[in-house]
Amino acid sequence: MEENLPKPAKFSLNYGLITGGIGIIFGIMLYTMDMHYERGMAVQGTQIAILAAGIILAIVQFKKANLTFLTLSEALKIGAGVALISGILGIIYFFVFSNYVEPDFMDNMYEIGKQQALADNPKLTPEQIDQGIEMQKKFAWISYPIIIIFNVIIGLVIGLITGLILKKQKPAY
């Protein structure tokens, strides 16, 4: 008789959607508080904490549904899956936000970066900084796959740590 055991993909999808949704709510909250240009450690740390909580919760729930058994590979699959789904939702939100909700978002970010570069590097001329910004604009599209890759790496690390802590092998008999 074959048991009907849960699949890591189901947990990855469900908790990835939940985690991505919470991340979007956090982004909307930042926007309503006029903090959407903030990129400090508090904002990034909160985003990573949301992702980590979603991954850990998914792994714990999978273990419960799997008769308290968990292998390291299952934890890694769930961690990477949750991070991937969450990252895709985050990119969709960012695309909609920066193109439709606030179309000037990227221009404003470039201007903030320009002011920061002028303050940090007084030897650079405004023309040099403008040239750097134009180069950034040409390669802005590359940030999307980088975000996905970074998210999946975080998911793998959190999945690895959680899997090492919670792993429990099925008995051989």
Side-chain angles (χ1 to χ4, degrees):
M1 184 168 110
E2 188 174 313
E3 296 179 43
N4 193 11
L5 296 176
K7 304 276 188 246
K10 177 185 172 198
F11 283 81
S12 295
L13 178 63
N14 291 341
Y15 284 90
L17 291 172
I18 291 168
T19 304
I22 292 170
I24 290 170
I25 291 169
F26 180 67
I28 293 169
M29 182 198 74
L30 289 174
Y31 177 69
T32 59
M33 296 174 62
D34 273 341
M35 294 178 63
H36 53 290
Y37 292 109
E38 296 282 327
R39 290 292 160 226
M41 287 303 293
V43 171
Q44 290 179 356
T46 303
Q47 290 170 334
I48 291 173
I50 290 169
L51 180 61
I55 292 168
I56 292 167
L57 187 60
I59 292 171
V60 168
Q61 292 304 315
F62 176 83
K63 183 178 177 183
K64 283 182 185 176
N66 198 30
L67 307 173
T68 71
F69 296 114
L70 176 73
T71 64
L72 190 56
S73 69
E74 290 169 335
L76 288 170
K77 288 176 191 175
I78 293 170
V82 168
L84 178 67
I85 301 297
S86 176
I88 290 170
L89 280 179
I91 285 175
I92 291 169
Y93 164 74
F94 178 74
F95 181 79
V96 170
F97 175 79
S98 63
N99 287 300
Y100 300 106
V101 177
E102 188 166 337
D104 295 336
F105 180 76
M106 290 308 292
D107 291 332
N108 293 340
M109 285 300 292
Y110 290 131
E111 187 59 35
I112 290 169
K114 180 180 179 177
Q115 298 305 321
Q116 187 69 38
L118 282 170
D120 293 346
N121 304 305
K123 292 182 179 179
L124 289 178
T125 65
E127 292 79 25
Q128 290 172 319
I129 293 174
D130 287 338
Q131 186 179 22
I133 289 173
E134 288 306 314
M135 191 68 118
Q136 282 180 334
K137 286 180 181 180
K138 287 180 185 176
F139 294 104
W141 62 271
I142 196 97
S143 66
Y144 294 123
I146 288 173
I147 290 168
I148 293 288
I149 292 167
F150 186 67
N151 247 28
V152 170
I153 289 170
I154 291 173
L156 286 170
V157 169
I158 294 169
L160 175 67
I161 293 168
T162 307
L164 287 172
I165 293 170
L166 298 178
K167 80 175 180 177
K168 181 179 176 186
Q169 298 291 334
K170 291 181 183 177
Y173 53 90

